Amino acid sequence: AARRHLAPAIESLYGQRFSDFERWAPHGSADDVAAALQPYVEVGCRNVNLLAAASDTEEALEQAIAVADRLALAEHCRP
């Protein structure tokens, strides 16, 4: 389901097929996305830009917050 929302957003933003970006666009549950980003956090990354795509804005925001919480970055996130 996550890919279904993310692919059109990426394609619209970059004007290219999602498959060209898929390896750099973790998607799925908050746990899936956090697991994909965790190696970057472990080597010092503290700024993560998320393009949260979901069926509605509230769901997208909730998922982005869940990813930040799992990465212990929540204190750095500001609306």
Side-chain angles (χ1 to χ4, degrees):
R3 188 182 195 288
R4 177 176 50 121
H5 296 292
L6 183 59
I10 292 287
E11 290 172 353
S12 175
L13 183 64
Y14 293 106
Q16 295 185 14
R17 295 178 316 227
F18 178 67
S19 60
D20 295 340
F21 291 88
E22 191 164 7
R23 90 182 258 203
W24 296 287
H27 54 283
S29 69
D31 288 332
D32 295 335
V33 175
L37 297 174
Q38 187 63 41
Y40 298 98
V41 172
E42 289 174 0
V43 296
C45 179
R46 294 295 175 261
N47 297 301
V48 177
N49 294 318
L50 298 175
L51 171 61
S55 58
D56 61 56
T57 303
E58 185 174 332
E59 181 185 349
L61 182 57
E62 288 173 2
Q63 290 300 313
I65 291 168
V67 170
D69 285 346
R70 284 161 178 76
L71 294 173
L73 297 174
E75 67 273 12
H76 302 287
C77 297
R78 300 287 181 259

